[in-house]
Structure formats: structure tokens, C-alpha cells
Amino acid sequence: MRMFRIGDKVVSRDKLVDALEAILEDRESGATQEEAARHAGVQRSFVSFLETLGEVRRGPKVALVAFPVNNVGEIRALAEEYALDFVLVLSQDERESIESGDATEVFNRLLETLAALREFDTVVLAASNWRVETLEKILGAEIVGIPLGPSPLRHAVELDAVELRSILDAVMNTQRGPRGRTGRVGQALKDAADLAGRWTQSRKSSA
């Protein structure tokens, strides 16, 4: 536990971090700034300042799904630059590793992921033309499709990073009407991020 001596006071870094996380979790779950401030015993202006200090971006909730691509590192770095809410980018080897796993587990996770993606305003999807067309019909979210080739696509394709950047610029700058941020939606976005991580973890564990 890291302590700071400030004059006649001793301040715990861990206590501060825990308090800040609690405020942000309250806000993410749908609490107003006033409610989060009251719960933490601070002024509302402090919550506002905290959000401004840590803000990465504003705008719609955007997910990126791309497979199979051979410039995975470049695309993931671009997604991180734009601070996307959900990122699932796979090479052909990674996709094959996942597909060779337990069929029931893969199917269940696929259904969970599809359900999670419905919470996003926009899903940028780079895949074979059949998959793009199919997911456009399944998902309620707006789909921006980038066809990588005809189905079945069994080899990795280079995803044009310049084109993707142009698409993300357009998506991020699109003005949308206000959409209520309920606790269910906030938790759904967190679950979606966890799902993206689970796809990669399962690929690593089966490798």
C-alpha cells in the first residue's frame, strides 16, 4: 500500500484509486453525476472534473470485428488509437485455432457476442461477403461492412488501414440523437469487452 505524507496528513493511494473506480462504476451503470458524487461524499463538480481529466473520446459506441486479416497488429493498434469499445481482430491461424476448440463452447460464445454487439450504435465488420450480409440481417446495430472476399474465405487478407481509418473518422463524427445510458447497457458494454478478451484467451490456451 503506497502512502503519501502531505503536511500533517497521510494519504493512501489505494484508497484514492478505489474511490475513483467506485465513482466511475456508478457513472457507467447509469447514475447521474449528482448521484455518484453523493454516494462518494464529494461535490458534483469533482465528478465532472474527473471525467474530463480521464476522457479519451466522445461519440457513438463502436465495435470492430475483422477476420481473417494478416495485418492484425496494425489493425489492433488503430482500434486502440480510436479507443473503440469492442475489438475482435483475428488472423487466419487464430480463427482456425478457435474453430478447432469445443464446438458447444464456441457456439455459445458466438451467441453471447452477437447479443452483446446489438448494444452498439455501429459495428464495423470486415469479413467475407456472405458473413457481412448475414450479420447485417442479424444485428440491430448499424453495420458498416468491409467485404474481404468471397465466401468461404480460408486465407488471411490485408485490411486497408487507410480505408478503415477513413471509416472510423466518419463513424466517430456522425452526430446522433441522445440515447439513454441505462445500467443494463453500461454492463452490457463491459461484458462485450470481456467477450472480446475471451475469444483471444481461448485461442492462446488451445495453441
Side-chain angles (χ1 to χ4, degrees), residues 127-148:
S128 66
N129 51 12
W130 180 84
R131 293 184 188 278
V132 170
E133 293 170 2
T134 302
L135 287 176
E136 283 178 341
K137 298 174 183 177
I138 293 175
L139 296 176
E142 176 185 336
I143 300 293
V144 179
I146 308 176
L148 296 180

Side-chain angles (χ1 to χ4, degrees), residues 28-202:
E28 186 175 46
S29 66
T32 65
Q33 289 185 347
E34 185 66 40
E35 291 168 340
R38 186 165 57 250
H39 184 233
V42 299
Q43 296 182 345
R44 188 204 62 78
S45 58
F46 174 77
V47 177
S48 177
F49 174 77
L50 180 64
E51 293 178 14
T52 300
L53 186 65
E55 182 178 306
V56 176
R57 72 169 176 88
R58 297 189 182 195
K61 299 179 285 293
V62 180
L64 170 65
V65 179
F67 65 93
V69 298
N70 58 17
N71 53 335
V72 169
E74 181 183 20
I75 300 305
R76 286 176 180 165
L78 185 58
E80 183 176 353
E81 177 185 334
Y82 279 83
L84 300 185
D85 301 276
F86 178 98
V87 179
L88 181 59
V89 181
L90 301 173
S91 68
Q92 178 62 15
D93 287 343
E94 290 171 330
R95 187 177 82 166
E96 288 178 353
S97 178
I98 291 172
E99 291 174 346
S100 65
D102 179 81
T104 301
E105 181 183 351
V106 172
F107 180 72
N108 289 340
R109 192 175 305 141
L110 174 61
L111 292 180
E112 292 175 17
T113 303
L114 290 174
L117 288 174
R118 292 179 64 86
E119 298 291 350
F120 289 85
D121 297 307
T122 303
V123 178
V124 180
L125 172 64
S128 66
N129 51 12
W130 180 84
R131 293 184 188 278
V132 170
E133 293 170 2
T134 302
L135 287 176
E136 283 178 341
K137 298 174 183 177
I138 293 175
L139 296 176
E142 176 185 336
I143 300 293
V144 179
I146 308 176
L148 296 180
S151 301
L153 191 59
R154 304 308 299 179
H155 63 279
V157 176
E158 175 127 351
L159 177 53
D160 189 334
V162 175
E163 179 187 6
L164 179 59
R165 181 181 291 275
S166 176
I167 290 172
L168 292 177
D169 283 338
V171 167
M172 297 300 188
N173 291 330
T174 299
Q175 297 298 318
R176 299 176 184 276
R179 179 174 174 176
R181 178 74 171 235
T182 66
R184 184 184 68 81
V185 174
Q187 184 60 47
L189 289 175
K190 291 171 67 177
D191 291 345
D194 290 341
L195 274 169
R198 283 167 55 196
W199 281 113
T200 337
Q201 288 169 5
S202 66

